Amino acid sequence: MVVYGHAQPTTPWSPATGSLRPRLQSAVIPDDSTDTTVATVVGKPFSVIDEFNSWRKQPELAEAVAAIRALAAVIRNCEATTMMELEIELKKASDSLKSGDTTSISLTAGCDLFMRYVTRTSALEYEDFDSAKSRLIERAEKFGEISCKARRIIAMLSQDFIFDGCTILVHGFSRVVFEVLKTAAQSKKLFRVFCTEGRPDRSGLRLSNELAKLDVPVKLLIDSAVAYTMDEVDMVFVGADGVVESGGIINMMGTFQIALVAHSMNKPVYVAAESYKFARLYPLDQKDMVPALCPIDFGVPIPSKVEVETSARDYTPPQYLTLLFTDLGVLTPSVVSDELIQLYL
Amino acid sequence: MDARRATTTVPRVRQVGFFTPNAPPAQPSRTHSFPLDSSSPPLSNSPVNSSLSPVMIPPSRHLSDNLVHRATSPLPVPEPSAFRRHHVAVVGSYNPTESLLGSSPPLASPSSRVIGDGEFSEESSAGWFRRSNSAKFASSFSGAFDLTSVKSSETGGFHQVKKPVVAQPKEEKSGAAAVVEPQINKGLSSSSTKPLKEKTTKAERRALQEAQRAAKAAAKDMTVSVGVSTSKPVKQQPAQKKDAPPPASSIAVSDRKGVERSMEKERRKDIPAPRMQFDDKSRVEKAKKRAVVNQSEARNRVELFRHLPQYEHGTQLPDLESKFFQLDPMHPAVYKVGLQYLAGDISGGNARCIAMLQAFQEVIKDYSTPPEKSLTRDLTAKISSFVSFFTECRPLSMSMGNTIRFLKSRIAKLPLTFSESEAKASLCADIDRFINEKIVLADNVIIRHAVTKIMDGDVLLTYGSSCVVEMILLYAHELGKQFRVVIVDSRPKLKGQALLRRLVGKGLSCTYTHINAVSYIMHEVTRVFLGSSSVLSNGTVYSRVGTACVAMVAHAFHVPVLICCEAYKFHERVLLDSICSNELGDPDALTKVPGRMDINYLDDLTNKDNMQLLNLMYDATPSEYVSMIITDYGMIPPTSVPVIVREYGREYLWI
């Protein structure tokens, strides 16, 4: 956790200013004299980073949602008196959040979308700043709510696509996909799951553990066995780190490979992604993205002359994806750009 | 004939032969049935409803025909009851006719189109009388009807749609019945002699049609009698019949025509105007008469492209130049730009648009509203005439079409309270803003987006010479990126050479090759940047011929293809191939190589019949070969072009 600022507290929060405060208090040991939770940034009684971190403490909450909530709190606690000032505050807060993790596409996308959604012109037509501000807060809360509930909506939408006796191939540990499978299992559907190992971060192992707890038949594969088993698979379910404007997705390394194999064998590839992951990026090829590196532990020392490809993500072009399950509905890849254009209108 | 001009959303079926009035074309059986005996109900009740549909608007021209015919045909003396019965079937709810006419069968009428006024009486009578043959009594009866209907129409007005005009005509009819009587008597006697079968004769029907056409032409001159008498050989129209109806009919005709035209106009607004198809001789003739530029058509034209204009190149320029000072309605700035188009001095979508807009700015500045005319209408008419001049010099590109639409909408939206100078200043400011926002600033945005896609070590390929792509390459070079350029060029224009010269002059490392080597060089290329003339709603890119070839080869080599296009060039049309809409260039350019006099193998062959030269200017690249379109609204996939057209189209028309 990053702690900024001075030791002496500024005006303590009253619970009335926001529902977030009590939570924050409970999360961190309150200390009136050296109230680190109200550490200041530039003399402000509020740190967006802290807010963000406190939200992130919830294991289920996605990074972008925590950021959105934090930004909503920024608006609430902002002391600006004009719209411009408020926007500048928001921009600063958003930038500081983004700088915390430059490789996370969903964080960047979530912040950008929040800014666009909240500051759309309708809110700015009010003469009175306070009413405009309350309107902004309303929109921000709404956006936060939608983002929180996104996973449940996606899980509900995708239930129709999982039929009894189907075999699903999943890659990496996506909480959205896990929610989808959990909901299906809880509604007593009979299906089995093939989990890829998901090297280098072994996320597949974690997922298989979780699924086993739900009594879902799981089979673990090494990443190279995907083409071997693709015959038995009915559909492929993946999550996404980010959905780009072309309709393609950026996801854990290996997704493109699986999508290629599935496409050549005519198996549908479904992507479960929340709508705040829609980013205004447009990669033309694999190298056209911001690199995100992840060290790989091979178990044996690698001689220094040998180069290792440590990229953690790849880009899957839209022609290999069948459908996107989002909280906006079940979409085809070409709708992503439509939504983004409408939002940025 | 003007049949095509008059088409509206509903295809008007020209019904040849006898048919019941207002009978929808879907009732083929009706067309030939005209039971003379009152007992048989040829007019079933079912078609009535359809005949009442407002969709079946009869053309006005037949109105006069009908009137004429009706007027002239001897009125039959049918049994009123019998006639009425049939009549009911035809007319629907129009009761008065029934009572008047009785049950005479709707013999006639095949070609007589339903009269436009929508009066049931008219229609029924039209049905009745249709001429020819025998059904004389029926026709004459309908003539009587006409009288009444005419009267009622005069008094009550009429609508085009078949609204039952029940109340008025009834009284009129009964009033007119007396008038009708003598006519009926007369007609009956003459018609009763004619056998029924004659009506279905094709020749008679054709004659009927001819008669109607002539009658229409006659009616236009408001000399009904002349037309009718001369054109209708089959009909035995007593001359005196004409006297009563003509004055009534002429008024009715004009009224009906007016109403019908306004309805047609509204319907026509929904349909896009048909493009000039140059394989239609009559239209080409008409266009030629209005043309300022004397274009002589080329001789050997490829059959598949006959619908596109093809003129002899190089023949008009001296002629136009000599006329420079003589064309009064033409503005010198417009003339100058037109000449530049003709000579090929200005080429490239943006340059042509800007030149055209600047010429129009001059026009607006020098414009003064003639007395008794409104600025918006007169100026729009002037602009349209200039646009047709430009079209004659060189067919408009799609972006120019969008620009003209924008200008006309701005003129139309001028507030009426503006004085002339204010209006002119506002229009000039709008044009300046359009050029600035949609072309200049848009290009800047495109360049900024595009350079983010250029990395160090890239090999960029471009085709031909696009001004936007050139700007992108120069800007990226200024930013210090290390890349090299491959310029692909093609005959006959060889535009790439000028681009090569400019890029090399600025210090970029370039490779130059012809289009036949594009698959040879493509394996080295990392990105392809292409310009375009227009992007259509299905993602198809419409650009210089050869672009599709380059894009396809790039796709085969998995090289991303980036199209750089300003948003004002997007069009809501959909093109599936390069044939429907294209431009034919100078075929002689294919046979000649500039600077090489010895390559003259085809010189004497160009006039042979079995030798045809085809010089296409544009082609259509399908959307699956395009990776991304860079516009001033950002980088979008080709599937999002209709979204931009939908979301931003309104805005830019309002600016």
Side-chain angles (χ1 to χ4, degrees), chain B residues 5-6 10 23 36 64 69 117 168 200 220 270 371 391 396 523 616 621 650:
Chain B
R5 283 289 159 77
V10 178
L36 271 182
S64 53
H69 296 327
D117 66 346
Q168 283 167 336
T200 47
K220 275 192 177 148
D270 301 338
T391 313
L396 295 182
H523 72 277
L616 286 175
T621 308
R650 296 166 267 125

Side-chain angles (χ1 to χ4, degrees), chain A residues 245-246 280 282-285 287-288 334 337-338 341-342 344-345, chain B residues 453 455 527 562 627-628 633 635-637 639-640 643 646-648:
Chain A
E245 193 152 6
S246 59
R280 289 220 88 178
Y282 204 131
L284 291 172
D285 50 30
K287 304 292 184 296
D288 204 359
S334 45
S337 178
D338 195 336
I341 289 173
Q342 284 182 358
Y344 280 84
L345 193 69
Chain B
K453 292 298 172 193
M455 305 323 162
R527 304 254 191 275
L562 287 76
S627 311
M628 173 205 292
Y633 292 115
M635 298 185 276
I636 60 171
T639 46
S640 291
V643 178
R646 179 188 80 214
E647 301 285 341
Y648 294 101

Side-chain angles (χ1 to χ4, degrees), chain A residues 103-334:
Chain A
T103 62
S104 170
I105 298 180
S106 64
L107 182 62
T108 315
C111 288
D112 284 340
L113 279 173
F114 178 84
M115 297 286 291
R116 282 301 305 185
Y117 185 78
V118 157
T119 59
R120 279 177 83 168
T121 50
S122 56
L124 305 176
E125 281 163 9
Y126 290 86
E127 303 262 345
D128 180 17
F129 175 69
D130 282 331
S131 56
K133 186 172 168 186
S134 60
R135 179 121 171 82
L136 282 188
I137 293 174
E138 207 183 296
R139 289 176 77 92
E141 293 290 310
K142 192 165 134 202
F143 196 71
E145 281 299 309
I146 294 175
S147 309
C148 265
K149 296 211 186 99
R151 280 198 203 138
R152 268 189 285 286
I153 298 174
I154 293 172
M156 276 189 335
L157 285 172
S158 38
Q159 292 311 302
D160 284 334
F161 290 82
I162 300 177
F163 50 90
D164 276 336
C166 69
T167 305
I168 305 178
L169 177 69
V170 287
H171 181 67
F173 192 159
S174 160
R175 283 168 291 193
V176 190
V177 177
F178 180 61
E179 182 88 22
V180 170
L181 297 175
K182 192 161 93 167
T183 316
Q186 281 163 355
S187 41
K188 302 283 182 274
K189 287 205 177 169
L190 301 171
F191 60 98
R192 61 180 179 149
V193 178
F194 285 1
C195 255
T196 56
E197 191 189 1
R199 293 214 65 203
D201 47 356
R202 308 276 182 94
S203 44
L205 298 177
R206 279 187 291 133
L207 179 63
S208 54
N209 261 345
E210 298 293 326
L211 284 174
K213 286 185 202 157
L214 295 170
D215 289 330
V216 175
V218 184
K219 189 167 180 182
L220 205 53
L221 317 165
I222 53 171
D223 297 329
S224 348
V226 167
Y228 176 79
T229 52
M230 191 55 82
D231 273 339
E232 306 168 44
V233 166
D234 291 314
M235 64 184 85
V236 179
F237 251 102
V238 292
D241 278 351
V243 181
V244 294
E245 193 152 6
S246 59
I249 57 167
I250 296 179
N251 199 20
M252 183 172 147
M253 179 64 81
T255 312
F256 183 30
Q257 209 157 287
I258 294 178
L260 268 174
V261 174
H263 186 256
S264 67
M265 295 202 189
N266 288 322
K267 309 285 180 188
V269 177
Y270 299 130
V271 176
E274 301 95 316
S275 63
Y276 56 77
K277 288 181 177 163
F278 287 7
R280 289 220 88 178
L281 301 169
Y282 204 131
L284 291 172
D285 50 30
Q286 301 301 324
K287 304 292 184 296
D288 204 359
M289 304 180 284
V290 176
L293 303 176
C294 164
I296 305 181
D297 174 26
F298 287 104
V300 289
I302 306 290
S304 50
K305 280 185 295 191
V306 174
E307 240 183 272
V308 178
E309 175 63 59
T310 49
S311 177
R313 326 192 268 233
D314 62 15
Y315 165 65
T316 307
Q319 55 260 38
Y320 303 112
L321 304 174
T322 319
L323 286 176
L324 296 171
F325 297 130
T326 70
D327 44 292
L328 301 170
V330 179
L331 314 171
T332 57
S334 45

Side-chain angles (χ1 to χ4, degrees), chain B residues 269-320:
Chain B
K269 272 184 199 156
D270 301 338
I271 329 167
R275 278 180 179 79
M276 174 83 170
Q277 298 287 54
F278 287 83
D279 45 2
D280 181 2
K281 281 235 149 49
S282 57
R283 289 201 181 180
V284 172
E285 289 302 318
K286 275 190 198 163
K288 262 196 184 166
K289 280 183 214 144
R290 294 192 295 253
V292 174
V293 182
N294 288 336
Q295 305 263 27
S296 51
E297 290 182 17
R299 303 159 305 269
N300 283 345
R301 297 167 59 173
V302 178
E303 195 58 44
L304 191 61
F305 291 93
R306 268 189 186 276
H307 59 285
L308 300 171
Q310 168 99 69
Y311 300 119
E312 297 275 333
H313 280 244
T315 52
Q316 320 88 337
L317 204 52
D319 184 46
L320 269 185

Side-chain angles (χ1 to χ4, degrees), chain A residues 35-106:
Chain A
D35 197 342
T36 53
T37 56
V38 287
T40 62
V41 178
V42 206
K44 282 189 50 176
F46 178 72
S47 160
V48 64
I49 304 285
D50 290 338
E51 190 72 31
F52 175 62
N53 287 326
S54 72
W55 275 106
R56 286 221 71 193
K57 284 203 158 66
Q58 297 174 32
E60 286 307 309
L61 212 59
E63 209 178 28
V65 180
I68 289 166
R69 294 285 186 165
L71 287 175
V74 166
I75 301 181
R76 206 174 301 114
N77 303 321
C78 178
E79 289 173 352
T81 48
T82 65
M83 235 21 188
M84 274 314 287
E85 237 182 292
L86 184 64
E87 279 186 50
I88 293 172
E89 280 294 328
L90 261 183
K91 186 96 181 38
K92 265 201 310 206
S94 163
D95 287 341
S96 63
L97 278 176
K98 284 194 236 178
S99 60
D101 184 0
T102 48
T103 62
S104 170
I105 298 180
S106 64

